[in-house]
Amino acid sequence: MRIVIALGGNALLRRGQALTAENQRVNVRAAAAAMAPLAREHALVISHGNGPQVGLLALQGAAYKPDEAYPLDVLGAQTEGMIGYMIEQEMANLLPDEMSFATLLTMIEVDPEDPAFDNPTKFIGPVYEAPEARRLAEEKNWSIKQDGDSWRRVVASPQPKRIFDIRPIRWLLEQRAIVICAGGGGIPTVYDADRKLTGTEAVIDKDLASELLARELEADLFVMATDVDAVYVDWGEPQARAIRRATPKAMQAYTFPAGSMGPKVEAACRFAERTGKIAAIGALADLAQIIQGTAGTTVMQEAGELAWHQRPGGSGTG
């Protein structure tokens, strides 16, 4: 099979962890251990989130004068290299020497008139207590929103329109490489008034970008691996239930948080509807079981009646 796996930013750097290189390395190593057995049997394309990482780089950039700070598109490109390097290295330590890897900087077109620029929803960077978040928002002119019990910076997250680098990605797959691409939702790119490509201040949702990637690569399976074991209805409430299997229509009957699980569900439904194939959402640790259909949430047109998991779930928000 050709499988696209989207690794959540919080799966690579867990919620509340210090944003250190060593913590990220340990988590990437765990991700590699989950993915390596699949790479022996299937063609693998890996994308990843970058919310904590790009937020950290933006925070470091705050030491510069405002007109000297690097914009989010450049920081996104930096995270693609940083995280891709770690994934390549940790996967290579687990797989035969003859297997090859490629990390590709991936520009993705967005519409400069996308309404997302007027309503930031994409969480980036570390979590803060409310007083600290309010202080930073005032000092740095940030938009902030509540994320669980804490607060985080939010930035625009426009819809992905086109993957500029899809042809080299296809070529690398034909050469049997494991491809790491569209990291952090890709580098947000627009055409200016002169039809010249330029970056824009945004972070594309990596699940929606990965869905477009999976569709254009004609993937057999699209998996979003996160820090939650399934998609929950009434998350955080005593009556919370985990969905095991559902059609896109059944999933769309529920509302999920826009800054976390909402884009994952939207991406899964979009992929299943437009391709007739399977999308899945679940915990990185359960990756093998998710692909077998025994863990996580599976979304497909032929899912039949909505089915629920009968066991208690884990923690996180996706």
Side-chain angles (χ1 to χ4, degrees):
M1 288 197 298
R2 179 174 289 183
I3 304 174
V4 171
I5 300 176
L7 299 173
N10 291 325
L12 294 176
L13 199 57
R14 294 171 189 166
R15 189 174 302 274
Q17 269 190 323
L19 302 177
T20 66
E22 182 55 32
N23 281 343
Q24 181 165 293
R25 172 74 71 174
V26 169
N27 292 325
V28 169
R29 189 172 297 140
M35 294 187 294
L38 304 175
R40 296 175 183 272
E41 301 180 31
H42 306 288
L44 214 57
V45 181
I46 302 167
S47 67
H48 57 80
N50 72 342
Q53 295 83 1
V54 78
L56 173 63
L57 293 178
L59 201 58
Q60 291 172 341
Y64 294 94
K65 296 177 182 177
D67 59 345
E68 295 175 345
Y70 282 85
L72 285 174
D73 60 300
V74 175
L75 299 183
Q78 285 183 268
T79 64
E80 285 192 316
M82 173 177 66
I83 299 170
Y85 156 68
M86 288 189 178
I87 293 173
E88 279 197 34
Q89 200 168 68
E90 296 301 331
M91 292 281 285
N93 286 335
L94 299 172
L95 292 168
D97 290 343
E98 62 269 18
M99 298 194 75
S100 56
F101 303 86
T103 296
L104 197 68
L105 294 180
T106 313
M107 292 191 298
I108 296 184
E109 183 183 4
V110 300
D111 184 349
E113 301 300 322
D114 192 305
F117 287 104
D118 296 322
N119 180 31
T121 60
K122 179 63 178 174
F123 291 114
I124 66 169
V127 297
Y128 301 100
E129 296 298 321
E132 177 73 357
R134 285 193 292 268
R135 182 184 67 79
L136 289 169
E138 184 173 346
E139 286 182 3
K140 303 179 184 299
N141 196 29
W142 286 356
S143 295
I144 60 167
K145 289 187 178 180
Q146 193 163 5
D147 183 15
D149 295 330
S150 303
W151 292 77
R152 292 174 75 187
R153 182 186 177 188
V154 288
V155 298
S157 183
Q159 290 283 323
K161 293 179 60 180
R162 176 165 52 135
I163 300 172
F164 287 106
D165 307 281
I166 197 68
R167 284 182 292 179
I169 295 170
R170 289 188 181 122
W171 183 86
L172 288 164
L173 281 174
E174 290 167 2
Q175 306 308 307
R176 308 179 76 84
I178 296 170
V179 184
I180 303 156
C181 59
I187 303 165
T189 307
V190 299
Y191 283 106
D192 65 16
D194 298 319
R195 289 295 294 172
K196 301 293 185 182
L197 288 174
T198 183
T200 188
E201 191 77 352
V203 174
I204 304 169
D205 183 84
K206 74 98 179 37
D207 295 310
L208 299 181
S210 299
E211 185 279 327
L212 178 60
L213 175 71
R215 191 161 20 102
E216 294 202 356
L217 292 177
E218 299 181 338
D220 300 294
L221 177 64
F222 171 41
V223 180
M224 286 163 279
T226 182
D227 61 349
V228 184
D229 60 358
V231 177
Y232 281 76
V233 173
D234 296 326
W235 172 255
E237 302 297 329
Q239 70 273 20
R241 293 182 294 169
I243 299 171
R244 177 175 181 179
R245 185 180 63 252
T247 63
K249 184 176 181 181
M251 294 294 286
Q252 290 160 354
Y254 297 97
T255 300
F256 302 95
S260 52
M261 192 56 76
K264 290 177 173 54
V265 171
E266 181 182 350
C269 293
R270 189 179 296 182
F271 182 77
E273 286 176 332
R274 297 184 183 184
T275 68
K277 297 177 182 177
I278 299 172
I281 303 168
L284 177 62
D286 298 333
L287 192 54
Q289 293 75 28
I290 291 169
I291 288 172
Q292 294 168 0
T294 58
T297 297
T298 298
V299 182
M300 56 189 296
Q301 291 280 40
E302 306 302 322
E305 186 176 350
L306 190 146
W308 305 90
H309 282 290
Q310 298 304 310
R311 53 183 172 76
S315 61
T317 61

